[in-house]
Amino acid sequence: MSLVLDAAAQDLLFREARTANTFTDEPVTDEQIQAIYELVKYGPTSMNQSPLRVTLVRSAEARERLVQHMAEGNQAKTAAAPLVAILSADNEFHEELPHLFPHFPQAKGFFGDRSVRENSARLNASLQAAYFIIGVRAAGLAAGPMTGLDFEGVRKEFLDDDHTPLMVVNIGNPGEDAWYPRSPRLDFDQVVTTV
């Protein structure tokens, strides 16, 4: 059986997509980012938690501060990308549950313990981060997600104690020599087991 999504869309989102390492200087607009969010906000999370928060780093001053917290191999591309997003998990997501999960008023009470909230926020925000990357691709842009960074430094510089940084994503149109060669993937029978 074939997939319903046409082959060109499959290529755009998955088969031909890569992590971009260089970008053109064409700007990424607020309208593009809003369109991406308006698409990916529908990706499922547990109890509709929606804990992902996105911090757009646009100013030169903020970019300079962020680059200092990136691993050496990620600094130049972060400095040069048209737009950089810090993706984080909101550990106080449960405050929004009365609005986001209204048919179950007790939902907020499930997350009274901070460690339970943090674990759930990290898992569900990570799901949303993956949706965000796919959304960037769906917009015809390239994403360069990175976890080579000083997480605590980024948190202190840009966030607060209620937010946990997950990754930094460079966003833009791919530049010259943007892609490394495609790395191998595991085969179906290496991943899927039927019991």
Side-chain angles (χ1 to χ4, degrees), residues 156-184:
K156 285 180 179 177
E157 191 80 42
F158 293 96
L159 306 170
D160 59 31
D161 289 340
D162 291 331
H163 293 80
T164 302
L166 301 172
M167 67 183 67
V168 169
V169 183
N170 293 330
I171 304 168
N173 288 291
E176 189 174 335
D177 298 322
W179 322 116
Y180 295 142
R182 170 71 79 196
S183 295

Side-chain angles (χ1 to χ4, degrees), residues 94 107-117:
H94 67 308
K108 182 178 173 181
F110 279 42
F111 300 101
D113 181 83
R114 174 74 180 213
S115 65
V116 171
R117 268 198 323 276

